[in-house]
Structure formats: C-alpha cells, structure tokens
mmCIF file of all heavy atoms in Angstrom:
data_model
loop_
_atom_site.group_PDB
_atom_site.id
_atom_site.type_symbol
_atom_site.label_atom_id
_atom_site.label_comp_id
_atom_site.label_asym_id
_atom_site.label_seq_id
_atom_site.Cartn_x
_atom_site.Cartn_y
_atom_site.Cartn_z
ATOM 1 N N MET A 95 111.829 154.013 90.724
ATOM 2 C CA MET A 95 112.106 155.302 91.291
ATOM 3 C C MET A 95 110.968 156.288 91.006
ATOM 4 O O MET A 95 110.564 157.017 91.903
ATOM 5 C CB MET A 95 113.430 155.826 90.751
ATOM 6 C CG MET A 95 113.777 157.166 91.312
ATOM 7 S SD MET A 95 115.468 157.567 90.878
ATOM 8 C CE MET A 95 115.476 159.251 91.321
ATOM 9 N N ILE A 96 110.468 156.327 89.794
ATOM 10 C CA ILE A 96 109.357 157.220 89.464
ATOM 11 C C ILE A 96 108.140 156.868 90.307
ATOM 12 O O ILE A 96 107.481 157.744 90.866
ATOM 13 C CB ILE A 96 109.026 157.173 87.961
ATOM 14 C CG1 ILE A 96 110.178 157.781 87.168
ATOM 15 C CG2 ILE A 96 107.732 157.912 87.670
ATOM 16 C CD1 ILE A 96 110.055 157.643 85.676
ATOM 17 N N ALA A 97 107.865 155.583 90.431
ATOM 18 C CA ALA A 97 106.715 155.145 91.225
ATOM 19 C C ALA A 97 106.873 155.554 92.691
ATOM 20 O O ALA A 97 105.893 155.906 93.347
ATOM 21 C CB ALA A 97 106.541 153.633 91.110
ATOM 22 N N ASP A 98 108.104 155.542 93.190
ATOM 23 C CA ASP A 98 108.355 155.951 94.579
ATOM 24 C C ASP A 98 108.034 157.433 94.778
ATOM 25 O O ASP A 98 107.411 157.814 95.767
ATOM 26 C CB ASP A 98 109.807 155.689 94.971
ATOM 27 C CG ASP A 98 110.157 154.214 94.992
ATOM 28 O OD1 ASP A 98 109.242 153.391 95.220
ATOM 29 O OD2 ASP A 98 111.338 153.896 94.785
ATOM 30 N N VAL A 99 108.451 158.251 93.831
ATOM 31 C CA VAL A 99 108.188 159.693 93.918
ATOM 32 C C VAL A 99 106.694 159.956 93.794
ATOM 33 O O VAL A 99 106.132 160.765 94.538
ATOM 34 C CB VAL A 99 108.985 160.469 92.838
ATOM 35 C CG1 VAL A 99 108.584 161.935 92.814
ATOM 36 C CG2 VAL A 99 110.476 160.330 93.082
ATOM 37 N N GLN A 100 106.043 159.264 92.873
ATOM 38 C CA GLN A 100 104.597 159.430 92.709
ATOM 39 C C GLN A 100 103.857 159.025 93.980
ATOM 40 O O GLN A 100 102.921 159.703 94.409
ATOM 41 C CB GLN A 100 104.104 158.601 91.522
ATOM 42 C CG GLN A 100 104.529 159.167 90.189
ATOM 43 C CD GLN A 100 104.198 158.239 89.032
ATOM 44 O OE1 GLN A 100 104.186 157.016 89.177
ATOM 45 N NE2 GLN A 100 103.946 158.831 87.885
ATOM 46 N N SER A 101 104.279 157.950 94.589
ATOM 47 C CA SER A 101 103.656 157.483 95.820
ATOM 48 C C SER A 101 103.851 158.484 96.953
ATOM 49 O O SER A 101 102.918 158.794 97.700
ATOM 50 C CB SER A 101 104.240 156.121 96.209
ATOM 51 O OG SER A 101 103.709 155.691 97.426
ATOM 52 N N ALA A 102 105.053 159.011 97.079
ATOM 53 C CA ALA A 102 105.331 160.000 98.124
ATOM 54 C C ALA A 102 104.512 161.267 97.899
ATOM 55 O O ALA A 102 103.947 161.828 98.844
ATOM 56 C CB ALA A 102 106.820 160.329 98.145
ATOM 57 N N ALA A 103 104.415 161.702 96.641
ATOM 58 C CA ALA A 103 103.636 162.902 96.315
ATOM 59 C C ALA A 103 102.159 162.686 96.635
ATOM 60 O O ALA A 103 101.499 163.569 97.202
ATOM 61 C CB ALA A 103 103.822 163.263 94.843
ATOM 62 N N GLU A 104 101.642 161.545 96.292
ATOM 63 C CA GLU A 104 100.229 161.251 96.572
ATOM 64 C C GLU A 104 99.969 161.219 98.070
ATOM 65 O O GLU A 104 98.951 161.707 98.546
ATOM 66 C CB GLU A 104 99.818 159.927 95.922
ATOM 67 C CG GLU A 104 98.364 159.592 96.089
ATOM 68 C CD GLU A 104 97.419 160.658 95.556
ATOM 69 O OE1 GLU A 104 97.753 161.322 94.560
ATOM 70 O OE2 GLU A 104 96.344 160.852 96.162
ATOM 71 N N SER A 105 100.896 160.660 98.822
ATOM 72 C CA SER A 105 100.754 160.622 100.271
ATOM 73 C C SER A 105 100.694 162.040 100.846
ATOM 74 O O SER A 105 99.866 162.339 101.704
ATOM 75 C CB SER A 105 101.928 159.853 100.882
ATOM 76 O OG SER A 105 101.876 159.907 102.285
ATOM 77 N N LEU A 106 101.544 162.921 100.361
ATOM 78 C CA LEU A 106 101.536 164.311 100.829
ATOM 79 C C LEU A 106 100.244 165.016 100.441
ATOM 80 O O LEU A 106 99.670 165.762 101.237
ATOM 81 C CB LEU A 106 102.736 165.063 100.253
ATOM 82 C CG LEU A 106 104.096 164.619 100.794
ATOM 83 C CD1 LEU A 106 105.224 165.224 99.974
ATOM 84 C CD2 LEU A 106 104.232 164.990 102.254
ATOM 85 N N ARG A 107 99.757 164.769 99.232
ATOM 86 C CA ARG A 107 98.500 165.384 98.799
ATOM 87 C C ARG A 107 97.327 164.931 99.661
ATOM 88 O O ARG A 107 96.456 165.726 100.000
ATOM 89 C CB ARG A 107 98.225 165.061 97.332
ATOM 90 C CG ARG A 107 99.111 165.813 96.382
ATOM 91 C CD ARG A 107 98.654 165.579 94.937
ATOM 92 N NE ARG A 107 99.720 165.960 94.034
ATOM 93 C CZ ARG A 107 100.519 165.112 93.405
ATOM 94 N NH1 ARG A 107 100.350 163.813 93.524
ATOM 95 N NH2 ARG A 107 101.467 165.556 92.614
ATOM 96 N N ARG A 108 97.310 163.661 100.029
ATOM 97 C CA ARG A 108 96.241 163.152 100.904
ATOM 98 C C ARG A 108 96.265 163.830 102.267
ATOM 99 O O ARG A 108 95.239 163.924 102.932
ATOM 100 C CB ARG A 108 96.364 161.633 101.061
ATOM 101 C CG ARG A 108 95.843 160.852 99.878
ATOM 102 C CD ARG A 108 95.660 159.371 100.216
ATOM 103 N NE ARG A 108 96.891 158.734 100.643
ATOM 104 C CZ ARG A 108 97.748 158.108 99.850
ATOM 105 N NH1 ARG A 108 97.509 158.016 98.560
ATOM 106 N NH2 ARG A 108 98.839 157.548 100.329
ATOM 107 N N GLN A 109 97.436 164.303 102.670
ATOM 108 C CA GLN A 109 97.567 165.007 103.944
ATOM 109 C C GLN A 109 97.220 166.490 103.795
ATOM 110 O O GLN A 109 97.339 167.249 104.751
ATOM 111 C CB GLN A 109 99.004 164.883 104.457
ATOM 112 C CG GLN A 109 99.423 163.473 104.786
ATOM 113 C CD GLN A 109 100.900 163.414 105.120
ATOM 114 O OE1 GLN A 109 101.422 164.266 105.830
ATOM 115 N NE2 GLN A 109 101.593 162.402 104.605
ATOM 116 N N GLY A 110 96.821 166.896 102.590
ATOM 117 C CA GLY A 110 96.458 168.289 102.352
ATOM 118 C C GLY A 110 97.642 169.190 102.058
ATOM 119 O O GLY A 110 97.507 170.410 102.031
ATOM 120 N N LYS A 111 98.788 168.595 101.822
ATOM 121 C CA LYS A 111 99.988 169.386 101.541
ATOM 122 C C LYS A 111 100.095 169.648 100.039
ATOM 123 O O LYS A 111 99.523 168.928 99.233
ATOM 124 C CB LYS A 111 101.225 168.672 102.059
ATOM 125 C CG LYS A 111 101.199 168.529 103.562
ATOM 126 C CD LYS A 111 102.448 167.909 104.096
ATOM 127 C CE LYS A 111 102.350 167.810 105.609
ATOM 128 N NZ LYS A 111 103.523 167.213 106.194
ATOM 129 N N ARG A 112 100.821 170.693 99.698
ATOM 130 C CA ARG A 112 101.035 171.060 98.298
ATOM 131 C C ARG A 112 102.479 170.775 97.909
ATOM 132 O O ARG A 112 103.380 170.824 98.743
ATOM 133 C CB ARG A 112 100.739 172.538 98.103
ATOM 134 C CG ARG A 112 99.290 172.866 98.352
ATOM 135 C CD ARG A 112 99.043 174.347 98.389
ATOM 136 N NE ARG A 112 99.613 175.011 97.227
ATOM 137 C CZ ARG A 112 99.318 176.240 96.845
ATOM 138 N NH1 ARG A 112 98.461 176.940 97.538
ATOM 139 N NH2 ARG A 112 99.862 176.776 95.795
ATOM 140 N N ILE A 113 102.675 170.503 96.639
ATOM 141 C CA ILE A 113 104.012 170.220 96.124
ATOM 142 C C ILE A 113 104.315 171.226 95.026
ATOM 143 O O ILE A 113 103.513 171.401 94.102
ATOM 144 C CB ILE A 113 104.100 168.796 95.559
ATOM 145 C CG1 ILE A 113 103.795 167.800 96.663
ATOM 146 C CG2 ILE A 113 105.462 168.544 94.934
ATOM 147 C CD1 ILE A 113 103.585 166.401 96.162
ATOM 148 N N GLY A 114 105.427 171.893 95.140
ATOM 149 C CA GLY A 114 105.854 172.831 94.098
ATOM 150 C C GLY A 114 107.169 172.365 93.496
ATOM 151 O O GLY A 114 108.040 171.853 94.199
ATOM 152 N N PHE A 115 107.300 172.547 92.201
ATOM 153 C CA PHE A 115 108.538 172.177 91.503
ATOM 154 C C PHE A 115 109.120 173.433 90.888
ATOM 155 O O PHE A 115 108.457 174.121 90.118
ATOM 156 C CB PHE A 115 108.246 171.133 90.418
ATOM 157 C CG PHE A 115 109.460 170.799 89.592
ATOM 158 C CD1 PHE A 115 110.500 170.055 90.125
ATOM 159 C CD2 PHE A 115 109.549 171.215 88.279
ATOM 160 C CE1 PHE A 115 111.621 169.755 89.366
ATOM 161 C CE2 PHE A 115 110.659 170.911 87.510
ATOM 162 C CZ PHE A 115 111.699 170.181 88.053
ATOM 163 N N VAL A 116 110.349 173.753 91.256
ATOM 164 C CA VAL A 116 111.018 174.948 90.744
ATOM 165 C C VAL A 116 112.354 174.519 90.138
ATOM 166 O O VAL A 116 113.337 174.319 90.848
ATOM 167 C CB VAL A 116 111.235 175.978 91.880
ATOM 168 C CG1 VAL A 116 111.928 177.213 91.341
ATOM 169 C CG2 VAL A 116 109.910 176.339 92.540
ATOM 170 N N PRO A 117 112.393 174.371 88.812
ATOM 171 C CA PRO A 117 113.652 173.962 88.181
ATOM 172 C C PRO A 117 114.651 175.118 88.177
ATOM 173 O O PRO A 117 114.328 176.214 87.744
ATOM 174 C CB PRO A 117 113.237 173.581 86.759
ATOM 175 C CG PRO A 117 111.996 174.362 86.514
ATOM 176 C CD PRO A 117 111.322 174.531 87.841
ATOM 177 N N THR A 118 115.842 174.903 88.702
ATOM 178 C CA THR A 118 116.815 175.985 88.827
ATOM 179 C C THR A 118 117.983 175.872 87.848
ATOM 180 O O THR A 118 118.679 176.849 87.620
ATOM 181 C CB THR A 118 117.400 176.027 90.242
ATOM 182 O OG1 THR A 118 118.125 174.827 90.461
ATOM 183 C CG2 THR A 118 116.316 176.198 91.276
ATOM 184 N N MET A 119 118.242 174.712 87.323
ATOM 185 C CA MET A 119 119.403 174.474 86.459
ATOM 186 C C MET A 119 120.702 174.941 87.133
ATOM 187 O O MET A 119 121.619 175.447 86.491
ATOM 188 C CB MET A 119 119.217 175.146 85.093
ATOM 189 C CG MET A 119 118.071 174.536 84.301
ATOM 190 S SD MET A 119 117.810 175.268 82.703
ATOM 191 C CE MET A 119 119.336 174.847 81.877
ATOM 192 N N GLY A 120 120.731 174.815 88.469
ATOM 193 C CA GLY A 120 121.952 175.093 89.202
ATOM 194 C C GLY A 120 122.116 176.517 89.684
ATOM 195 O O GLY A 120 123.100 176.834 90.344
ATOM 196 N N PHE A 121 121.175 177.403 89.383
ATOM 197 C CA PHE A 121 121.310 178.788 89.814
ATOM 198 C C PHE A 121 119.983 179.270 90.362
ATOM 199 O O PHE A 121 118.962 179.249 89.677
ATOM 200 C CB PHE A 121 121.739 179.673 88.643
ATOM 201 C CG PHE A 121 121.904 181.112 89.026
ATOM 202 C CD1 PHE A 121 122.991 181.526 89.788
ATOM 203 C CD2 PHE A 121 120.977 182.053 88.627
ATOM 204 C CE1 PHE A 121 123.134 182.860 90.147
ATOM 205 C CE2 PHE A 121 121.116 183.383 88.981
ATOM 206 C CZ PHE A 121 122.201 183.785 89.737
ATOM 207 N N LEU A 122 119.972 179.700 91.610
ATOM 208 C CA LEU A 122 118.760 180.159 92.266
ATOM 209 C C LEU A 122 118.716 181.685 92.221
ATOM 210 O O LEU A 122 119.660 182.349 92.635
ATOM 211 C CB LEU A 122 118.771 179.666 93.714
ATOM 212 C CG LEU A 122 117.514 179.854 94.542
ATOM 213 C CD1 LEU A 122 116.369 179.042 93.957
ATOM 214 C CD2 LEU A 122 117.767 179.432 95.972
ATOM 215 N N HIS A 123 117.619 182.237 91.687
ATOM 216 C CA HIS A 123 117.484 183.696 91.643
ATOM 217 C C HIS A 123 116.091 184.108 92.115
ATOM 218 O O HIS A 123 115.270 183.270 92.480
ATOM 219 C CB HIS A 123 117.778 184.244 90.238
ATOM 220 C CG HIS A 123 116.930 183.679 89.155
ATOM 221 N ND1 HIS A 123 115.600 184.007 88.978
ATOM 222 C CD2 HIS A 123 117.218 182.792 88.180
ATOM 223 C CE1 HIS A 123 115.121 183.355 87.934
ATOM 224 N NE2 HIS A 123 116.075 182.612 87.448
ATOM 225 N N GLU A 124 115.809 185.397 92.136
ATOM 226 C CA GLU A 124 114.567 185.919 92.685
ATOM 227 C C GLU A 124 113.330 185.326 92.012
ATOM 228 O O GLU A 124 112.304 185.116 92.659
ATOM 229 C CB GLU A 124 114.542 187.445 92.595
ATOM 230 C CG GLU A 124 113.354 188.076 93.274
ATOM 231 C CD GLU A 124 113.217 187.730 94.760
ATOM 232 O OE1 GLU A 124 114.240 187.650 95.457
ATOM 233 O OE2 GLU A 124 112.075 187.528 95.216
ATOM 234 N N GLY A 125 113.394 185.056 90.724
ATOM 235 C CA GLY A 125 112.262 184.432 90.036
ATOM 236 C C GLY A 125 111.916 183.071 90.626
ATOM 237 O O GLY A 125 110.756 182.726 90.793
ATOM 238 N N HIS A 126 112.949 182.291 90.955
ATOM 239 C CA HIS A 126 112.727 180.991 91.591
ATOM 240 C C HIS A 126 112.123 181.172 92.978
ATOM 241 O O HIS A 126 111.213 180.441 93.369
ATOM 242 C CB HIS A 126 114.044 180.218 91.717
ATOM 243 C CG HIS A 126 114.673 179.869 90.418
ATOM 244 N ND1 HIS A 126 115.889 180.373 90.035
ATOM 245 C CD2 HIS A 126 114.258 179.073 89.400
ATOM 246 C CE1 HIS A 126 116.204 179.895 88.840
ATOM 247 N NE2 HIS A 126 115.224 179.102 88.433
ATOM 248 N N LEU A 127 112.647 182.129 93.721
ATOM 249 C CA LEU A 127 112.129 182.373 95.068
ATOM 250 C C LEU A 127 110.663 182.788 95.014
ATOM 251 O O LEU A 127 109.860 182.390 95.857
ATOM 252 C CB LEU A 127 112.971 183.444 95.771
ATOM 253 C CG LEU A 127 114.433 183.060 96.011
ATOM 254 C CD1 LEU A 127 115.194 184.245 96.593
ATOM 255 C CD2 LEU A 127 114.532 181.850 96.906
ATOM 256 N N SER A 128 110.303 183.541 93.998
ATOM 257 C CA SER A 128 108.908 183.941 93.809
ATOM 258 C C SER A 128 108.026 182.719 93.600
ATOM 259 O O SER A 128 106.935 182.614 94.175
ATOM 260 C CB SER A 128 108.805 184.894 92.624
ATOM 261 O OG SER A 128 107.456 185.190 92.343
ATOM 262 N N LEU A 129 108.473 181.780 92.791
ATOM 263 C CA LEU A 129 107.707 180.545 92.559
ATOM 264 C C LEU A 129 107.578 179.742 93.850
ATOM 265 O O LEU A 129 106.526 179.159 94.111
ATOM 266 C CB LEU A 129 108.388 179.698 91.479
ATOM 267 C CG LEU A 129 108.334 180.248 90.063
ATOM 268 C CD1 LEU A 129 109.242 179.430 89.145
ATOM 269 C CD2 LEU A 129 106.914 180.265 89.546
ATOM 270 N N MET A 130 108.640 179.722 94.652
ATOM 271 C CA MET A 130 108.568 178.989 95.919
ATOM 272 C C MET A 130 107.577 179.652 96.868
ATOM 273 O O MET A 130 106.839 178.959 97.568
ATOM 274 C CB MET A 130 109.945 178.918 96.555
ATOM 275 C CG MET A 130 110.867 177.959 95.831
ATOM 276 S SD MET A 130 112.286 177.537 96.804
ATOM 277 C CE MET A 130 113.506 178.632 96.166
ATOM 278 N N ARG A 131 107.535 180.968 96.874
ATOM 279 C CA ARG A 131 106.568 181.659 97.745
ATOM 280 C C ARG A 131 105.145 181.353 97.322
ATOM 281 O O ARG A 131 104.265 181.180 98.175
ATOM 282 C CB ARG A 131 106.824 183.155 97.710
ATOM 283 C CG ARG A 131 108.069 183.567 98.453
ATOM 284 C CD ARG A 131 108.218 185.083 98.501
ATOM 285 N NE ARG A 131 109.580 185.424 98.810
ATOM 286 C CZ ARG A 131 110.475 185.871 97.931
ATOM 287 N NH1 ARG A 131 110.144 186.084 96.660
ATOM 288 N NH2 ARG A 131 111.693 186.142 98.316
ATOM 289 N N VAL A 132 104.895 181.275 96.040
ATOM 290 C CA VAL A 132 103.538 180.976 95.534
ATOM 291 C C VAL A 132 103.145 179.554 95.923
ATOM 292 O O VAL A 132 101.997 179.309 96.286
ATOM 293 C CB VAL A 132 103.477 181.146 93.994
ATOM 294 C CG1 VAL A 132 102.205 180.575 93.436
ATOM 295 C CG2 VAL A 132 103.614 182.612 93.628
ATOM 296 N N SER A 133 104.081 178.627 95.857
ATOM 297 C CA SER A 133 103.744 177.233 96.153
ATOM 298 C C SER A 133 103.637 176.960 97.646
ATOM 299 O O SER A 133 103.095 175.941 98.050
ATOM 300 C CB SER A 133 104.758 176.277 95.529
ATOM 301 O OG SER A 133 106.003 176.373 96.180
ATOM 302 N N ASN A 134 104.141 177.856 98.474
ATOM 303 C CA ASN A 134 104.105 177.656 99.925
ATOM 304 C C ASN A 134 103.692 178.963 100.612
ATOM 305 O O ASN A 134 104.523 179.627 101.219
ATOM 306 C CB ASN A 134 105.474 177.202 100.417
ATOM 307 C CG ASN A 134 105.452 176.773 101.853
ATOM 308 O OD1 ASN A 134 104.410 176.420 102.380
ATOM 309 N ND2 ASN A 134 106.586 176.805 102.506
ATOM 310 N N PRO A 135 102.402 179.295 100.517
ATOM 311 C CA PRO A 135 101.952 180.586 101.079
ATOM 312 C C PRO A 135 102.023 180.642 102.598
ATOM 313 O O PRO A 135 102.055 179.710 103.285
ATOM 314 C CB PRO A 135 100.511 180.704 100.624
ATOM 315 C CG PRO A 135 100.079 179.338 100.244
ATOM 316 C CD PRO A 135 101.326 178.542 99.961
#
C-alpha cells in the first residue's frame, strides 16, 4: 500500500503536479483551508 501511494505521488510529480498533505484529525477549519490554498495556488 505504501509503495502504491509513493508510485502515484511520483507519477503526479512527473506531470508537474504538486501534492499537499493537510492533516485534519476529523475537523476542518480555516487554518487547514489556508494550507490547502498554499498547496494549490
């Protein structure tokens, strides 16, 4: 499973795409949204 995620991430990076990880622990708030905006300008 880890290798599958790594492979998918590498494939996206080769396409010039960016990957952002925003851990929410089950609750989404403005701080999380800010991180998502930074990772996807």
Side-chain angles (χ1 to χ4, degrees):
M95 180 169 168
I96 292 173
D98 295 333
V99 173
Q100 288 172 329
S101 177
E104 184 57 33
S105 175
L106 291 169
R107 287 187 197 103
R108 282 194 301 268
Q109 296 173 43
K111 296 184 180 180
R112 295 170 51 165
I113 299 169
F115 175 72
V116 180
T118 64
M119 295 180 64
F121 180 73
L122 189 64
H123 57 73
E124 186 57 38
H126 296 116
L127 297 175
S128 174
L129 290 171
M130 287 196 262
R131 287 185 199 104
V132 168
S133 70
N134 189 22

